[in-house]
Amino acid sequence: VGEFELINTFFTRGSKGDDVVLGIGDDCAIVRPPAGRDLVMSIDTLVEGVHFPHHTEPLKIGMRVMCTCLSDLAAMGATPHWFTLALTLLHAESAWLSEFSEGLFQIANQFQCSLIGGDTTKGPLTISVQVHGSVAPGTALKRGGGKPGDIIYVTGDLGDGAAALAALSNKLTVNPSAYAYLMKRFFAPTPRIQEGQFLSRKATAAIDISDGLIADLGKLCSASGLGAMVDVARLPISQHWRDQVNQEQALDWALNGGDDYQLCFTLPPTLVEPINQAVHKGQIRATPIGKLVPHSGVQLFHSGQPYQVTDHGYDHFG
Ligand code: ADP
Ligand code: MG
């Protein structure tokens, strides 16, 4: 298909709200942000062979790029509104594009995020999505607001991303339902948008875990000018796979595995009780794993003893 036809057939889907003044088709899109709110934006790029394996089904690529990008808005406590898409493809194949756009819109629609423009070029498969969201002024969750003594929490389970990669490369054997769970977690990791919004005005700091807990909590700590003590025995790890590997492996994936897209956030001790109640009521899933401390670095403990690990998360240029 040609470029014009490609954009028209697969990516032009009118938006429902009147917040899109001018969508796909002109030199720029025009949007109308909700009155009085600050715009929040972030871009993510997925490269074939780096962020997803060669020959990954296009539906999964579409879902994953949208989920991972929205995860950054979640980490700020923002509400998603719009996104733009830069697509670099070797071949414009209808079947591929149809499935890819299906995956993309499945997630985007779920979060009421409309596609308002983009760019299409020829080259090795690379997908960039820029998301645009909003927050009430002064309410965004940032990395740098943590205070000594704040309790560190994570939403959901850790290590699923690494376990999924191990399952994909046949290094981990699990039953079919656990495999389905891991594939869903890897290719469509639910962006924690609801959780982020719930936590705004409550959490002192937040980050989404894309490079591994130690690496990302480390970034939250540096931004806050603090360190962390983490009790690895408290790390939430899914029953779907934890009994299939030894404890050290499970902890390594939970601590260093990337691709989890959970939120790591900190709460002042006064808010621990209200959050525990919200957890019991099922309003949010969150597990306390440690606390912020004055000195720097992430220190790990297990049953009161220091816990050693070697790896420190994924660094593209490391
Ligand atoms: P220009 O040359 O002015 O940059 P293009 O011809 O590249 O514009 O794009 C035409 C219209 O299609 C623009 O509104 C652009 O935002 C949109 N567009 C191009 N590629 C994509 C894409 N992959 N997804 C969504 N919209 C796209
Ligand atoms: Mg132009």
Side-chain angles (χ1 to χ4, degrees):
V1 292
E3 186 183 327
F4 178 78
E5 191 191 340
L6 179 159
I7 297 165
N8 260 319
T9 313
F10 300 107
F11 298 108
T12 307
R13 308 203 179 174
S15 101
K16 282 156 221 79
D18 50 10
D19 55 325
V20 180
V21 180
L22 187 60
I24 292 171
D26 215 307
D27 293 314
C28 290
I30 305 176
V31 294
R32 193 159 292 157
R37 287 175 67 94
D38 288 348
L39 282 179
V40 179
M41 55 201 76
S42 166
I43 188 163
D44 263 331
T45 297
L46 298 193
V47 179
E48 180 174 46
V50 178
H51 301 95
F52 56 87
H54 288 276
H55 311 298
T56 299
E57 291 110 279
L59 183 86
K60 291 178 176 167
I61 301 172
M63 293 173 92
R64 180 165 161 78
V65 68
M66 214 53 223
C67 286
T68 59
C69 209
L70 285 167
S71 174
D72 285 318
L73 286 184
M76 304 298 288
T79 305
H81 299 301
W82 316 288
F83 70 105
T84 50
L85 167 71
L87 195 54
T88 304
L89 299 162
L90 276 175
H91 320 280
E93 285 167 24
S94 287
W96 192 96
L97 286 159
S98 163
E99 275 194 50
F100 169 79
S101 63
E102 179 58 36
L104 192 78
F105 285 114
Q106 238 182 60
I107 305 297
N109 292 343
Q110 207 177 312
F111 293 92
Q112 283 109 50
C113 197
S114 350
L115 180 59
I116 54 168
D119 193 27
T120 308
T121 52
K122 190 176 166 112
L125 183 58
T126 304
I127 301 135
S128 293
V129 167
Q130 181 171 46
V131 286
H132 309 243
S134 73
V135 291
T139 67
L141 299 170
K142 291 177 278 186
R143 298 176 178 183
K147 300 277 177 293
D150 283 356
I151 308 301
I152 304 164
Y153 283 77
V154 291
T155 61
D157 288 317
L158 297 177
D160 285 344
L165 277 177
L168 279 169
S169 56
N170 297 317
K171 289 182 194 125
L172 169 69
T173 315
V174 289
N175 65 41
S177 88
Y179 189 83
Y181 164 82
L182 287 175
M183 292 308 104
K184 160 102 194 11
R185 290 283 304 123
F186 188 79
F187 289 108
T190 309
R192 302 297 173 192
I193 294 287
Q194 276 180 2
E195 289 81 350
Q197 289 177 1
F198 178 84
L199 291 168
S200 88
R201 296 189 166 97
K202 298 185 186 74
T204 48
I207 188 168
D208 69 322
I209 305 173
S210 52
D211 296 334
L213 176 70
I214 295 181
D216 290 317
L217 174 57
K219 292 173 201 164
L220 185 152
C221 285
S222 338
S224 297
L226 296 170
M229 285 172 59
V230 171
D231 179 357
V232 300
R234 306 189 75 159
L235 298 182
I237 299 175
S238 170
Q239 290 301 333
H240 280 111
W241 57 268
R242 76 170 303 159
D243 296 335
Q244 297 306 112
V245 299
N246 63 40
Q247 179 184 259
E248 211 183 334
Q249 177 69 89
L251 289 179
D252 179 52
W253 284 346
L255 290 164
N256 296 309
D259 301 310
D260 279 333
Y261 298 99
Q262 300 293 354
L263 300 183
C264 175
F265 62 93
T266 55
L267 281 183
T270 50
L271 286 182
V272 163
E273 201 33 51
I275 293 294
N276 286 346
Q277 283 174 20
V279 169
H280 283 133
K281 283 191 226 151
Q283 288 173 294
I284 185 171
R285 221 196 121 200
T287 310
I289 59 165
K291 65 176 179 190
L292 292 180
V293 292
H295 47 84
S296 71
V298 177
Q299 296 174 282
L300 306 175
F301 294 87
H302 192 300
S303 317
Q305 299 299 311
Y307 185 80
Q308 296 296 330
V309 284
T310 45
D311 188 9
H312 284 285
Y314 191 71
D315 177 347
H316 281 273
F317 299 101

